[in-house]
């Protein structure tokens, strides 16, 4: 994968969005850390140029919360909301489809 002659590295974060993530504020902590992750990717210009970031969440099903994108262009990251049970099959199937 390349973007104007630069080697592009796709980076997908796959987040558990099952209802069990409500316990002890785990999903809230994830949502707090996502902007910090974005800031770290943007802060390093070499990494910012190379990495394209995508966010998937999963429970009973999986969704593409943020398609693979240049994270430097994203000011506000979407939140992950808890729902349903936990299906790793759904997570890996969605990741493979991306």
């Amino acid at each position: 994968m390349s973007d104007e002659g630069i080697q592009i590295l796709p980076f997908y974060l796959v987040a558990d969005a099952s209802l069990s993530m409500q316990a002890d504020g785990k999903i809230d902590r994830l949502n707090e850390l996502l902007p910090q992750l974005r800031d770290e990717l943007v802060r390093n210009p070499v990494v910012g140029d190379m990495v394209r970031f995508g966010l998937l969440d999963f429970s009973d099903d999986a969704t593409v919360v943020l398609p693979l994108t240049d994270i430097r262009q994203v000011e506000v990251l979407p939140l992950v909301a808890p729902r349903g049970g936990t299906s790793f099959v759904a997570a890996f199937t969605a990741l493979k489809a991306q």
Side-chain angles (χ1 to χ4, degrees):
M1 179 179 259
S2 68
D3 189 36
E4 298 177 24
I6 298 171
Q7 180 67 28
I8 299 300
L9 302 173
F11 174 76
Y12 288 98
L13 178 63
V14 181
D16 184 350
S18 62
L19 289 173
S20 65
M21 290 295 287
Q22 286 180 319
D24 301 323
K26 292 180 194 115
I27 201 109
D28 295 329
R29 185 67 180 138
L30 169 67
N31 285 318
E32 291 169 7
L33 290 173
L34 285 173
Q36 293 175 29
L37 173 61
R38 181 207 53 230
D39 293 347
E40 286 300 319
L41 291 172
V42 170
R43 187 171 292 125
N44 184 325
V46 173
V47 174
D49 285 346
M50 295 176 63
V51 170
R52 296 300 175 263
F53 180 81
L55 175 61
L56 286 78
D57 72 4
F58 70 97
S59 62
D60 294 322
D61 60 358
T63 59
V64 177
V65 179
L66 182 69
L68 201 61
T69 189
D70 183 343
I71 197 66
R72 298 170 298 179
Q73 306 301 316
V74 179
E75 291 186 29
V76 178
L77 289 167
L79 298 176
V80 175
R83 63 184 193 283
T86 305
S87 171
F88 288 100
V89 170
F92 291 123
T93 301
L95 182 60
K96 182 179 178 184
Q98 293 303 303

